[in-house]
Amino acid sequence: MSESHIPLSDFIEYPQDEMLQRAQDNYQQVKRRHSIRHFSDRPVPQQIIEQCILAAGTAPNGANHQPWHFVAISSPEIKAQIRQQAEALEQAFYAGRAGEEWLSALKPLGTDANKPYLEHAPWLIAVFSQKHQVEDGEQKNNYYVHESVGIATGFLIQALHHSGLATLTHTPKPMSFLSKICGRDNDNERPYMLIIAGYPSEGATVPTHALDKKPLDQICDFI
C-alpha cells in the first residue's frame, strides 16, 4: 500500500434487505424536499448552517482541489442589497429578456420579478466556484470545476433538507453583483448559485406543477 494512502476504515456494509430499506427511506425523505418561495423570518442557529456547509465540503471533486467557497449571509443589510440587485435583474428578465419559451415554461410555477424571500429568509448561502488555488505559493489550476461545485451544491441542499430546513435555489443572471456584495470580486472566483434556507412561512405553498416528477423508466435505463 502506498504511503500516501490509508486503509478504508469507516465504510459500513449493511445486509441487502437493510440496504433496500435505507434506500427507500432516503427516497421518501428526499421526496419531501420542495423548492418554496415563502419563508418565515424565524432565526436559524449558525451552527446548523455550519454543519451543512461542512457536509457540502465532503463532496467528490476534481483532484481534491475543492474548488468552492461558501458565503453564509444573515445580515439584514446585505440581504436587502442582494434583493435590490436581484430584483433589478429579474425585472428585465420577466420584461422579455428571457424570451417567450422560457417565460412560458416558468408560468406554471407562478414566479415573477419580486423576491421578498431574499430578505425574509434567515440565511442566504452564496456558492462561488474557483478557477485555481494557491498551494505552497504556486498557483495551480482546478479541474472539473463546474461538476465539482454542482455536486457540492447538491450535498448542501440535501444537508439543509435533512436538518429540517426548506430551501430554494436562485440564479439571477448575471450574478456578478454577488461577487461585489460578498467581497469575492476577483479574477479567480465566480458566483455559482444562491441558496435560500430557512423555515417555511405559515401558509407556504408548493406549485402543483413542481410535484410532477418523471418515473424511473423515463430517467434511467438498465443495460
Side-chain angles (χ1 to χ4, degrees), residues 131-149:
K131 293 185 294 184
H132 58 76
Q133 63 173 347
V134 177
E135 185 177 317
D136 298 327
E138 180 182 355
Q139 180 174 301
K140 295 185 177 180
N141 289 329
N142 289 331
Y143 305 98
Y144 298 103
V145 173
H146 188 79
E147 296 86 349
S148 300
V149 179

Side-chain angles (χ1 to χ4, degrees), residues 24-210:
Q24 292 171 335
D25 291 345
N26 182 67
Y27 173 53
Q28 292 303 317
Q29 184 193 53
V30 169
K31 281 177 64 178
R32 294 191 299 101
R33 192 218 63 79
H34 305 292
S35 294
I36 67 164
R37 292 170 176 81
H38 299 89
F39 285 84
S40 165
D41 60 1
R42 288 172 57 193
V44 173
Q46 180 174 319
Q47 294 91 330
I48 295 173
I49 303 301
E50 290 173 354
Q51 291 301 306
C52 293
I53 292 174
L54 283 171
T58 70
N61 61 93
N64 196 35
H65 283 192
Q66 303 162 59
W68 46 64
H69 190 85
F70 304 91
V71 178
I73 303 157
S74 62
S75 163
E77 292 78 16
I78 295 178
K79 288 191 293 183
Q81 291 178 45
I82 290 174
R83 179 184 179 182
Q84 181 183 34
Q85 295 281 340
E87 286 187 340
L89 291 171
E90 295 290 287
Q91 291 288 348
F93 178 89
Y94 283 94
R97 182 168 56 84
E100 288 301 319
E101 183 177 354
W102 195 346
L103 292 176
S104 177
L106 289 173
K107 191 173 182 180
L109 299 176
T111 59
D112 58 31
N114 298 310
K115 310 296 178 185
Y117 48 76
L118 293 175
E119 284 190 88
H120 293 170
W123 289 98
L124 307 180
I125 304 174
V127 184
F128 292 85
S129 64
Q130 298 177 329
K131 293 185 294 184
H132 58 76
Q133 63 173 347
V134 177
E135 185 177 317
D136 298 327
E138 180 182 355
Q139 180 174 301
K140 295 185 177 180
N141 289 329
N142 289 331
Y143 305 98
Y144 298 103
V145 173
H146 188 79
E147 296 86 349
S148 300
V149 179
I151 297 171
T153 301
F155 271 39
L156 177 57
I157 293 169
Q158 167 70 354
L160 291 164
H161 172 65
H162 186 71
S163 72
L165 296 174
T167 57
L168 176 68
T169 57
H170 185 48
T171 52
K173 294 291 190 296
M175 290 194 288
S176 55
F177 71 91
L178 277 177
S179 299
K180 295 182 175 65
I181 292 175
C182 294
R184 313 296 300 181
D185 191 14
N186 56 69
D187 293 335
N188 183 37
E189 297 184 343
R190 60 179 299 179
Y192 185 87
M193 187 174 292
L194 186 65
I195 297 174
I196 298 88
Y199 294 104
S201 66
E202 185 175 351
T205 61
V206 178
T208 305
H209 175 72

